[in-house]
Amino acid sequence: MNKQRPTSSGTGRRPKVVISADCLGRLEALAEGAIQRNPDLADRLLGEISRARIVPAAKLLENVVANCRAVTYRDETTGQEKTVTPVFPEDADIARGRISILTSIGVALIVLAEGASLHWDTRDGERRILTVLHVASQNVPESLEAQ
C-alpha cells in the first residue's frame, strides 16, 4: 500500500488543507464507502478532511488542487514532470490523465497547493518526493468530463 505524507516545502510540516464546501459531502461519502474495500486509503482521506479548512467554492484559492483542476507535479528523484487532473472515480480515465481522487496519489494531491511536497512510497517500496509545481486556475469544463 502506498503511503505518503504531504509536507510544506522544506519545513517537514504537513501543509494546510483547504477543501471546497461543494465537494465536502461527496469526499466524505467516497471515504466512507471505501472503508471496507480500502481502509488505509479511506482513513487517509477522512484524516485530511478532518483537518481541512472548509471554504466556499468561490473562495478556494486558484493555487490549491481541487476536483477537476489540472495539477503538474515533479518527481524529485527522476526530475520527471507529470500533469494530471483529479476527478471523482466515475470520471477517471488514466489515458486522458484523469486520476481518481479515491487513489493514493489522488488523496495526496487533492489537498495540496503549489509549492507543497509529499513523500511518496512506490509499490516497490522506494521513497520519493513529489512537488506540486502548478495548479490550473480553472476547472476542466464538465463537458470534457463526460467524454
Side-chain angles (χ1 to χ4, degrees):
M1 177 67 47
N2 289 346
K3 293 186 190 246
Q4 63 280 349
R5 180 188 319 205
T7 62
S8 293
S9 191
T11 67
R13 282 191 251 151
R14 294 169 70 186
K16 293 179 182 176
V17 176
V18 181
I19 296 176
S20 164
D22 64 343
C23 286
L24 178 61
R26 184 86 188 272
L27 289 173
E28 289 173 328
L30 284 172
E32 290 169 6
I35 288 174
Q36 295 298 318
R37 294 183 319 274
N38 194 336
D40 290 338
L41 184 64
D43 286 345
R44 170 108 171 100
L45 182 53
L46 288 170
E48 295 300 332
I49 291 169
S50 71
R51 70 184 195 90
R53 183 169 58 97
I54 310 304
V55 299
K59 299 241 182 210
L60 188 65
L61 296 176
E62 292 181 352
N63 70 341
V64 174
V65 179
N67 187 52
C68 296
R69 283 188 182 175
V71 56
T72 302
Y73 65 88
R74 179 178 51 237
D75 180 329
E76 298 297 348
T77 301
T78 65
Q80 181 181 8
E81 294 181 12
K82 186 169 186 174
T83 299
V84 296
T85 302
V87 295
F88 287 117
E90 65 272 13
D91 296 321
D93 182 347
I94 198 69
R96 292 189 171 149
R98 297 179 189 153
I99 62 164
S100 171
I101 59 174
L102 198 54
T103 61
S104 55
I105 188 73
V107 169
L109 289 173
I110 198 75
V111 301
L112 298 179
E114 288 177 2
S117 296
L118 64 107
H119 293 278
W120 178 260
D121 292 330
T122 67
R123 290 183 178 158
D124 298 332
E126 184 180 354
R127 166 108 340 157
R128 296 194 178 188
I129 297 174
L130 304 181
T131 301
V132 175
L133 301 175
H134 178 73
V135 177
S137 61
Q138 294 188 336
N139 290 0
V140 174
E142 287 185 31
S143 60
L144 293 179
E145 287 302 314
Q147 294 180 355

